[in-house]
């Protein structure tokens, strides 16, 4: 988002001109859709993972610039804060041995980055929220030295006009304030991209929204923040509150937050881009020189730069993306609900489940979104964030008279969604052995009710019970997590608790 943004001040005319350009871009998108200019199906998927830097003590290391200099690869980029990195995996065609190839690329890349980080006494930790982060770590002085982050922080702070209130009531209660958006940097996620045709976009997006709660429940990996045990997946409430441009009065009026689940099923990709213009004031009113109407009139493909930039400042959990590859426009659904980690195998298993189940649900003759109220999907997402793999979700009954019922997520996954995910992966042409292996990881998580969040919480409480004080217990849990993460066995196989110190011989 806004990779070439240069910090600077905006005046009233900038905002007026930007709004006019946004409307032009939206009209341009409409023309591209009407003229059927978009790329044909290529079954392309992509993956991004945000990472943490931590030292051998388990504490965050503010040194992404030094680590990136050593990695020296375009696959690794800065993220919001100096303890963050992001790795981008090149698009892959869904099919064949794609899951194993993806896992091998990730293992190789992360191992290399970890070795390079070790040179400056740091290491890579793939986790939703680093348990050892303290409030003093998440301040504007620790934002990465990149103009677009400075500018985004300044604009969100100015729009809000007061400190951000962080209030999360979970196992324990967190209540604090922040003068900047820096707490957002605590949230490290996996982003799954799927290129789709305009005709299929709405079905895929609706399916992704319906299954988002299930993804979070299965993959929850963020139970701690600032020393407090909160929700099993604390990223969504933290992300919403740390980017919230609404003071309490606007919240009371029902103004929508910039980080949101949405409020309705859609009929086309255009619906989402149009909503983003209608509901959300521009944060970064930076105008491009391109005239999208003129480009279209000449038979060209406009970049729609203002629309793309604005879209990047509205944090939907399933985001529409417009892009151009080889001179041809395309649309993607960017799925942003999953936390990073715990292991490469877990990440690829989560991806296999998502790509399989979304395809199956999108092609269902009685789509789930025709039988599940959108409000129920949103409530499911909240419940999944709170309770993780122990959540109960509302889901359509499979009986003649229909309706919905509350069902434990592990039962829903094992009885209904795993077979759908397998059928979806078959439709993509994924190798059956890989399909069975990675979906088997999901099945074992459900059988044992063990994911990253459950392991972290259980290990932390064992550490407390052993006599460690809270800070030491969180640090020990983080160090053990990092050790097991790099060992590579999926999280349902991890032994709970800290290893016992070796007994002296003799």
């Amino acid at each position: 988002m806004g990779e070439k943004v240069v910090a600077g001040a905006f005046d009233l005319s900038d905002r007026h001109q930007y709004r006019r350009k946004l409307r032009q871009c939206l009209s341009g998108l409409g023309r591209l859709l009407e003229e059927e200019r978009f790329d044909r199906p290529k079954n392309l998927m992509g993956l991004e993972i945000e990472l943490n830097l931590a030292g051998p003590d388990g504490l965050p290391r503010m040194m992404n610039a030094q680590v990136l200099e050593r990695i020296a690869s375009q696959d690794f980029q800065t993220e919001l804060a100096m303890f963050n990195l992001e790795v981008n995996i090149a698009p892959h065609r869904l099919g064949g041995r794609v899951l194993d190839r993806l896992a091998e690329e990730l293992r190789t890349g992360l191992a290399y980055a970890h070795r390079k980080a070790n040179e400056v006494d740091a290491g890579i930790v793939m986790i939703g929220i680093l348990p050892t982060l303290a409030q003093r770590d998440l301040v504007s002085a620790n934002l990465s030295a990149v103009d677009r982050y400075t500018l985004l922080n300044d604009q969100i702070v100015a729009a809000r006009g007061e400190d951000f209130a962080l209030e999360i009531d979970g196992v324990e209660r967190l209540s604090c304030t922040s003068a900047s958006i820096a707490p957002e940097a605590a949230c490290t996620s996996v982003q799954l991209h799927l290129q789709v045709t305009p005709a299929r976009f709405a079905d895929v997006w609706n399916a992704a929204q319906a299954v988002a709660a299930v993804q979070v429940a299965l993959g929850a990996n963020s139970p701690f923040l600032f020393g407090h045990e909160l929700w099993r997946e604390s990223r969504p409430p933290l992300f919403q509150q740390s980017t919230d441009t609404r003071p309490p009065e606007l919240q009371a009026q029902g103004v929508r937050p910039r980080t949101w689940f949405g409020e309705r099923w859609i009929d086309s990709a255009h619906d989402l881009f149009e909503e983003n213009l209608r509901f959300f004031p521009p944060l970064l009113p930076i105008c491009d020189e391109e005239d999208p109407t003129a480009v279209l009139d000449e038979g060209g493909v406009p970049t729609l730069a203002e629309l793309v930039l604005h879209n990047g400042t509205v944090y939907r959990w399933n985001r529409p993306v417009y892009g151009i590859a080889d001179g041809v426009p395309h649309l993607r659904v960017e799925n942003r609900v999953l936390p990073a980690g715990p292991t490469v195998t877990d990440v690829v298993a989560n991806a296999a489940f998502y790509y399989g189940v979304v395809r199956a649900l999108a092609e269902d003759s009685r789509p789930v979104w025709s039988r599940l109220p959108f409000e129920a999907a949103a409530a499911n997402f909240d419940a999944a964030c709170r309770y993780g793999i122990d959540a109960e979700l509302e889901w359509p009954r499979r009986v003649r008279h229909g309706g919905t019922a509350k069902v434990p997520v592990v039962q829903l996954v094992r009885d209904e969604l795993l077979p759908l995910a397998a059928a979806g992966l078959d439709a993509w042409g994924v190798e059956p052995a890989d399909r069975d292996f990675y979906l088997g990881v999901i099945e074992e998580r459900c059988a044992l009710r063990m994911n990253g969040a459950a392991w972290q919480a259980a290990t932390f409480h064992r550490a407390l019970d052993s006599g460690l004080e809270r800070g030491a217990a969180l640090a020990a849990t983080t160090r053990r997590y990092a050790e097991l993460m790099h060992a590579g066995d999926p999280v349902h196989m991890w032994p709970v608790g800290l290893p016992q110190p070796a007994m002296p011989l003799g």
Side-chain angles (χ1 to χ4, degrees), residues 218-493:
L218 291 173
N221 197 26
S222 314
F224 298 108
L225 177 66
F226 298 162
H228 293 70
E229 185 178 356
L230 301 171
W231 293 9
R232 282 300 184 250
E233 187 50 51
S234 304
R235 285 168 43 258
L238 173 60
F239 204 106
Q240 177 175 322
Q241 293 175 23
S242 61
T243 58
D244 201 343
T245 54
R246 309 167 304 159
E249 296 81 4
L250 291 184
Q251 294 180 38
Q253 290 173 35
V255 172
R256 295 158 182 86
R258 292 191 88 96
T259 300
W260 73 323
F261 187 77
E263 60 191 19
R264 65 185 177 107
W265 306 117
I266 64 164
D267 297 314
S268 78
H270 192 273
D271 291 355
L272 298 176
F273 289 100
E274 187 275 331
E275 277 186 355
N276 285 354
L277 266 65
R278 184 155 43 98
F279 293 152
F280 302 104
L283 283 178
L284 302 172
I286 300 163
C287 286
D288 189 76
E289 293 178 1
E290 176 188 80
D291 179 341
T293 306
V295 172
L296 281 164
D297 288 345
E298 292 166 10
V301 177
T303 60
L304 306 183
E306 292 84 3
L307 189 72
V308 169
L309 180 58
H310 182 63
N311 191 56
T313 66
V314 179
Y315 304 104
R316 293 179 182 271
W317 294 110
N318 284 293
R319 176 189 271 166
V321 178
Y322 170 86
I324 300 172
D326 300 323
V328 183
H330 66 263
L331 292 171
R332 304 194 303 275
V333 175
E334 181 189 12
N335 177 259
R336 303 158 46 81
V337 305
L338 286 165
T343 66
V344 168
T345 298
D346 288 302
V347 168
V348 176
N350 290 341
F353 178 80
Y354 169 74
Y355 288 118
V357 82
V358 160
R359 172 144 187 180
L361 290 175
E363 295 180 350
D364 195 332
S365 59
R366 291 187 64 220
V368 64
W369 57 93
S370 70
R371 298 176 287 136
L372 182 70
F374 193 91
E375 297 74 22
N380 282 347
F381 187 70
D382 188 77
C385 292
R386 286 178 182 272
Y387 305 113
I389 207 159
D390 295 320
E392 291 193 347
L393 307 180
E394 189 174 340
W395 199 257
R397 298 175 189 267
R398 287 189 291 176
V399 295
R400 181 185 302 175
H401 301 298
T404 62
K406 280 282 179 73
V407 57
V409 70
V410 292
Q411 181 184 328
L412 173 64
V413 170
R414 293 171 78 185
D415 293 352
E416 189 169 342
L417 297 183
L418 274 173
L420 284 176
L425 292 177
D426 287 346
W428 289 119
V430 168
E431 169 67 36
D434 292 357
R435 172 202 67 199
D436 293 345
F437 174 76
Y438 288 105
L439 293 184
V441 170
I442 302 294
E443 187 169 15
E444 284 300 305
R445 266 192 233 158
C446 291
L448 299 170
R449 290 181 179 251
M450 181 58 67
N451 60 11
W455 183 90
Q456 286 186 58
T459 297
F460 167 71
H461 285 288
R462 290 263 187 100
L464 286 182
D465 292 345
S466 75
L468 290 180
E469 59 87 22
R470 177 171 284 248
L474 286 168
T477 299
T478 304
R479 291 193 300 271
R480 180 63 171 157
Y481 177 103
E483 179 187 333
L484 293 169
M485 180 209 108
H486 288 289
D489 284 337
V491 70
H492 69 266
M493 297 175 64

Side-chain angles (χ1 to χ4, degrees), residues 25-364:
C25 287
L26 188 65
S27 296
L29 178 68
R31 273 184 63 178
L32 287 165
L33 290 166
E34 286 170 18
E35 295 168 12
E36 299 183 350
R37 297 277 300 278
F38 283 87
D39 204 358
R40 297 291 177 262
K42 286 189 175 170
N43 296 353
L44 285 179
M45 55 82 71
L47 180 69
E48 304 167 54
I49 307 178
E50 295 161 352
L51 306 164
N52 289 282
L53 291 172
D57 54 4
L59 300 180
R61 287 285 191 272
M62 306 294 168
M63 53 197 329
N64 61 1
Q66 298 96 305
V67 173
L68 284 168
E69 187 179 352
R70 283 167 171 76
I71 293 173
S73 165
Q74 287 298 307
D75 294 341
F76 288 83
Q77 305 286 342
T78 55
E79 250 302 323
L80 183 59
M82 291 194 287
F83 63 90
N84 297 144
L85 303 176
E86 180 175 270
V87 59
N88 298 288
I89 298 299
H92 284 64
R93 192 177 299 276
L94 270 161
R97 303 303 304 267
V98 64
L99 297 175
D100 257 9
R101 286 203 310 275
L102 197 61
E104 187 57 34
E105 280 185 43
L106 283 170
R107 284 193 191 96
T108 302
L110 293 178
Y112 173 73
H114 186 60
R115 286 197 303 275
K116 291 299 178 182
N118 286 169
E119 293 175 8
V120 288
D121 203 33
I124 300 291
V125 184
M126 190 165 56
I127 193 168
I129 296 176
L130 197 64
T132 49
L133 282 169
Q135 274 186 265
R136 65 180 176 274
D137 298 316
L138 291 166
V139 294
S140 55
N142 285 336
L143 294 178
S144 294
V146 177
D147 278 348
R148 70 180 185 274
Y149 300 139
T150 304
L151 191 55
L152 189 65
N153 178 66
D154 291 348
Q155 293 301 304
I156 291 178
V157 168
R160 184 175 174 85
E162 59 188 72
D163 283 355
F164 298 88
L166 305 181
E167 306 267 352
I168 305 175
D169 200 356
V171 177
E172 298 169 327
R173 179 173 175 77
L174 173 69
S175 180
C176 64
T177 61
S178 172
S180 75
I181 65 168
E184 179 200 330
C187 308
T188 45
S189 65
V190 171
Q191 288 134 38
L192 302 173
H193 290 254
L194 179 60
Q195 184 177 327
V196 292
T197 60
R200 300 296 293 150
F201 187 96
D203 289 347
V204 171
W205 188 86
N206 289 338
Q209 287 286 98
V211 82
V214 179
Q215 289 180 272
V216 168
L218 291 173
N221 197 26
S222 314
F224 298 108
L225 177 66
F226 298 162
H228 293 70
E229 185 178 356
L230 301 171
W231 293 9
R232 282 300 184 250
E233 187 50 51
S234 304
R235 285 168 43 258
L238 173 60
F239 204 106
Q240 177 175 322
Q241 293 175 23
S242 61
T243 58
D244 201 343
T245 54
R246 309 167 304 159
E249 296 81 4
L250 291 184
Q251 294 180 38
Q253 290 173 35
V255 172
R256 295 158 182 86
R258 292 191 88 96
T259 300
W260 73 323
F261 187 77
E263 60 191 19
R264 65 185 177 107
W265 306 117
I266 64 164
D267 297 314
S268 78
H270 192 273
D271 291 355
L272 298 176
F273 289 100
E274 187 275 331
E275 277 186 355
N276 285 354
L277 266 65
R278 184 155 43 98
F279 293 152
F280 302 104
L283 283 178
L284 302 172
I286 300 163
C287 286
D288 189 76
E289 293 178 1
E290 176 188 80
D291 179 341
T293 306
V295 172
L296 281 164
D297 288 345
E298 292 166 10
V301 177
T303 60
L304 306 183
E306 292 84 3
L307 189 72
V308 169
L309 180 58
H310 182 63
N311 191 56
T313 66
V314 179
Y315 304 104
R316 293 179 182 271
W317 294 110
N318 284 293
R319 176 189 271 166
V321 178
Y322 170 86
I324 300 172
D326 300 323
V328 183
H330 66 263
L331 292 171
R332 304 194 303 275
V333 175
E334 181 189 12
N335 177 259
R336 303 158 46 81
V337 305
L338 286 165
T343 66
V344 168
T345 298
D346 288 302
V347 168
V348 176
N350 290 341
F353 178 80
Y354 169 74
Y355 288 118
V357 82
V358 160
R359 172 144 187 180
L361 290 175
E363 295 180 350
D364 195 332

